[in-house]
Amino acid sequence: MSDRKVRRVVSGVSALAVAAGFTVVAGSGVAGAAPESTTWETTNKTKITRTISNTTPVEGDTVTVTNKLYQQFGGVVTYIYWVRDIHPPCLKFQSAKVDGKSYGASTGADYAQVDGSIIQWPIRPIANPRSRTFEFTYKVGADCERDIAMNTGMGYNASIGGNTWSTKGPKINVPYNSTSTTLTAPANMQVGDSAVLEATVTGGAQGDNVDFYDGGVKIGTAQLNDKGVAKFHWTPGAFGRYSMNARFPATPRALASFSTVVDVTVSPADTVSSTVLAPVVGAQVGQASVLRATVAPAGSGGTVEFTDGGEALANVPVGADGVATYTWVPSTAGDHTIAATFSGSAGVTGSSDSATVNVAAAPVDNIDSRTVLTIGPIPTVGVAQTITADVTPGDAGGTVTFKDGDAVIGISSVDSSGRATLEWTPAHEGQRNITAQYSGAGNVNGSADEITVVVGTVPGGGDNGGGTGSAGSLSGGTGSLFGS
């Protein structure tokens, strides 16, 4: 009996590419496959050639093993009864063929076998068929040991006897999985925030560890899930710039890899603000009371919204001194829940304060006022408009607060003729609700009027994207007693 082995190595991966840092991706197919054959003769002049399509497959690859039995001159007609292919248990059987045609097989942990009848598969020394080919296909499992030569072999039985060669070869050597690691992290965070660092590893297995680093300091470990993703919840303790990366350590089946660095900028935590609503005393229906909120730290900007029982009264910018005020003219007696809510600003949290204010009824001998609001006929974005409020009786004095919605536009004193005026330049097109709130004075009760206007764009395009809306319109109010 004689043996000989033939091995052919098809193109490999360039060592230069690996050294340069390129990711080596392991995949299915025959590119880079290393087929190998071994041949021997039996004492009955049967030549057996056993070929493995790839002796260095990676996890997930498909491997085909071909056993060819050829009857040489000098032998006798032989009837093959069965052929058994012996393989490492980590190769998972897929299919079998006999002479190129699909054929059913029985399997065990380390073998696959095809069985024929006593006359089904003859091989002859002279006339055809002189050979038979038995082909077995497997898939390389994740449980294969790595970088270890694993035995393969075959056996058969025939009319002139048979034999089994469990370690005849060729051997199969499954290399370590090549891996690649990528990291996803937010570019910007704030102290106190929590973020999920997400590492995706190709070539790893569920349950494998991934280590997360800030520069060279390990900050935590997480395991890969069934999708090859590891998630680590991270809360930075200080502001600054962090250089995050994820590292997949080598395992018994996979090579190590690491991600590129992802820079994360962490800004300081917001300064906590406080808002204090000053006590309101002497509030009376129809008379002005000043709502005053003080925000700390001063100079934070932002706005304060004043509300009465949850209903918006006004939205007022916070001055550089941290103070926001609004002239409130209550329209009903009794307890009112007044709240001042600071909006917050860049780097500063919002805050609020509230108080119960008791409003007294107006004296029975007070005089009711009437306020009539007038706006120019063509409200247009970017064009100054004169807003006029005429108060009757006209000699009471006091002030008028003008609002766009609940945002205060400005405050104007009532002159001796009962008129208060304000210049308003609309910033946005569309429908706006403009209010004039007279404060009342002395024994004259406050009152209010409201007009709905439609602000048009500047002819020819103008502001806010150059729309083609109306030039502006308004629908008037007729004045109301004791505020709105």
Side-chain angles (χ1 to χ4, degrees):
M1 182 186 309
S2 63
D3 287 356
R4 62 188 175 86
K5 294 186 179 180
V6 179
R7 179 168 182 162
R8 180 167 62 90
V9 180
V10 183
S11 64
V13 179
S14 166
L16 177 59
V18 176
F22 292 95
T23 300
V24 181
V25 179
S28 301
V30 297
E36 187 174 342
S37 297
T38 184
T39 301
W40 68 96
E41 294 179 10
T42 71
T43 56
N44 298 313
K45 293 293 184 178
T46 301
K47 183 172 73 172
I48 301 174
T49 301
R50 179 173 166 79
T51 301
I52 297 180
S53 63
N54 185 4
T55 56
T56 58
V58 299
E59 178 185 327
D61 272 357
T62 297
V63 174
T64 298
V65 180
T66 303
N67 298 280
K68 182 178 180 181
L69 281 68
Y70 176 81
Q71 190 68 349
Q72 301 181 95
F73 290 113
V76 298
V77 176
T78 301
Y79 290 89
I80 300 169
Y81 298 156
W82 55 260
V83 172
R84 172 176 291 184
D85 190 74
I86 300 170
H87 60 81
C90 67
L91 297 188
K92 313 305 178 185
F93 174 76
Q94 303 293 300
S95 63
K97 292 182 179 180
V98 177
D99 295 331
K101 296 181 179 180
S102 295
Y103 200 89
S106 58
T107 61
D110 63 349
Y111 74 88
Q113 179 175 311
V114 291
D115 296 273
S117 70
I118 59 175
I119 61 172
Q120 186 174 354
W121 296 327
I123 53 175
R124 299 181 171 90
I126 299 177
N128 289 327
R130 299 189 65 188
S131 67
R132 297 284 179 178
T133 301
F134 302 88
E135 182 180 297
F136 301 85
T137 299
Y138 305 94
K139 186 173 183 178
V140 179
D143 56 336
C144 283
E145 292 188 87
R146 302 304 198 264
D147 206 23
I148 293 177
M150 295 181 288
N151 288 317
T152 72
M154 64 87 65
Y156 78 101
N157 194 20
S159 56
I160 58 173
N163 207 340
T164 296
W165 299 269
S166 298
T167 60
K168 199 68 173 180
K171 294 180 184 294
I172 289 180
N173 192 326
V174 178
Y176 288 95
N177 293 4
S178 295
T179 67
S180 64
T181 301
T182 57
L183 175 65
T184 302
N188 297 284
M189 294 179 62
Q190 192 172 35
V191 172
D193 289 347
S194 180
V196 176
L197 307 180
E198 186 172 297
T200 302
V201 178
T202 59
Q206 184 175 0
D208 287 345
N209 287 337
V210 177
D211 297 325
F212 294 85
Y213 282 78
D214 169 26
V217 179
K218 181 177 173 179
I219 61 173
T221 300
Q223 287 71 48
L224 292 177
N225 61 21
D226 58 350
K227 295 180 175 58
V229 176
K231 298 180 180 181
F232 178 70
H233 293 266
W234 173 57
T235 303
F239 69 90
R241 186 173 181 176
Y242 293 77
S243 298
M244 313 305 295
N245 64 92
R247 304 180 189 182
F248 177 74
T251 72
R253 293 182 173 85
L255 299 174
S257 60
F258 54 89
S259 73
T260 57
V261 172
V262 177
D263 289 328
V264 179
T265 300
V266 178
S267 59
D270 286 346
T271 300
V272 177
S273 73
S274 65
T275 299
V276 177
L277 180 63
V280 180
V281 295
Q284 179 181 297
V285 171
Q287 297 295 305
S289 291
V290 176
L291 304 181
R292 177 186 178 93
T294 302
V295 176
S300 301
T303 61
V304 168
E305 182 182 43
F306 292 99
T307 58
D308 178 3
E311 182 178 347
L313 295 174
N315 205 310
V316 183
V318 179
D321 58 356
V323 174
T325 61
Y326 172 64
T327 302
W328 172 48
V329 182
S331 58
T332 60
D335 288 339
H336 292 246
T337 301
I338 303 299
T341 303
F342 172 51
S343 63
S345 59
V348 181
T349 64
S351 55
S352 64
D353 192 17
S354 63
T356 299
V357 177
N358 183 264
V359 177
V364 294
D365 57 350
N366 269 18
I367 301 172
D368 291 336
S369 70
R370 176 185 178 87
T371 299
V372 177
L373 175 62
T374 305
I375 300 179
I378 308 177
T380 306
V381 170
V383 178
Q385 312 286 321
T386 298
I387 306 176
T388 301
D390 289 299
V391 179
T392 305
D395 57 355
T399 61
V400 173
T401 299
F402 295 93
K403 297 189 293 183
D404 177 2
D406 64 355
V408 173
I409 301 171
I411 300 174
S412 178
S413 297
V414 178
D415 64 18
S416 59
S417 68
R419 173 166 291 186
T421 61
L422 185 75
E423 188 174 271
W424 172 51
T425 302
H428 304 284
E429 64 177 299
Q431 182 172 296
R432 318 300 298 178
N433 294 323
I434 308 302
T435 303
Q437 175 75 59
Y438 171 54
S439 65
N443 66 341
V444 177
N445 293 325
S447 56
D449 192 17
E450 180 178 313
I451 290 179
T452 299
V453 299
V454 178
V455 177
T457 57
V458 175
D463 199 8
N464 290 328
T468 57
S470 66
S473 63
L474 59 86
S475 58
T478 57
S480 62
L481 300 178
F482 306 135
S484 57

